[in-house]
Amino acid sequence: MRIRPVLAASFSVAILAATSLTAAAPASASTLDVTCAGSANATYSPALTATSQTVTTSRSFDYEPCVSTSVPALTSGGVSFSYTAPGFSCLDLLGSGTVHKTITWNTGQTSAITGQRVSSVAGATTTTVITGQVTAGLFAGDSVVDTEVGPATSILTCDLGLGTVPGLTTTLLLEITS
């Protein structure tokens, strides 16, 4: 049995109307409090290999330029730290884990961030996405998405046991929303 075009069109309009009524329900709006571009650098001493070893890692994150709707004077921020980890290799650069870092803004204020890190490689690009929350300081309670993107060549060759990773440089995009 064939549905006549007018009947089919009426049915489609009814479905669209029902869908749009459901979609029109109020949703909680989020506000972008700050967005930043920037770059990140990591150095490993000694250089990472496919074999686990004790490694000192130095990291720096430069968030600039930043645009904030709620704090117009905020234009940049940064993080830097070092730590030594036993049993670290280039194989540990990919995967997931918990991240804690505190951004110091050009205004003198800070934002402590805790989130989950997921790192992966697609083609020749490595991407790390941290999703979490600002746990203290400026923007406390806000959601965070911090994305790093960079070349994966040295990671891939190291994972195959064919090279080392002395350091990494990536680009950043940080978004903090309430």
Side-chain angles (χ1 to χ4, degrees), residues 66-85:
C66 296
V67 175
S68 175
T69 55
S70 56
V71 185
L74 191 152
T75 59
S76 65
V79 177
S80 71
F81 56 86
S82 292
Y83 62 92
T84 300

Side-chain angles (χ1 to χ4, degrees), residues 21-172:
L21 288 175
T22 303
S28 61
S30 59
T31 302
L32 184 62
D33 280 326
V34 65
T35 184
C36 302
S39 63
N41 292 296
T43 57
Y44 306 104
S45 179
L48 297 178
T49 66
T51 304
S52 293
Q53 60 184 331
T54 299
V55 175
T56 298
T57 301
S58 297
R59 296 285 322 239
S60 66
F61 301 84
D62 297 313
Y63 297 102
E64 186 176 12
C66 296
V67 175
S68 175
T69 55
S70 56
V71 185
L74 191 152
T75 59
S76 65
V79 177
S80 71
F81 56 86
S82 292
Y83 62 92
T84 300
F88 194 58
S89 76
C90 56
L91 301 171
D92 296 312
L93 294 175
L94 302 177
S96 60
T98 302
V99 173
H100 303 280
K101 63 182 174 182
T102 300
I103 300 173
T104 301
W105 303 106
N106 66 293
T107 59
Q109 297 163 295
T110 61
S111 296
I113 295 171
T114 297
Q116 290 300 307
R117 171 189 63 85
V118 177
S119 299
S120 61
V121 171
T125 303
T126 181
T127 303
T128 299
V129 179
I130 298 167
T131 54
Q133 282 197 314
V134 178
T135 56
L138 185 62
F139 309 120
D142 282 10
S143 297
V144 174
V145 177
D146 193 358
T147 305
E148 290 183 59
V149 177
T153 308
S154 65
I155 296 171
L156 292 172
T157 56
C158 182
D159 286 352
L160 294 171
L162 302 173
T164 64
V165 179
L168 296 170
T169 299
T170 56
T171 59
L172 297 172

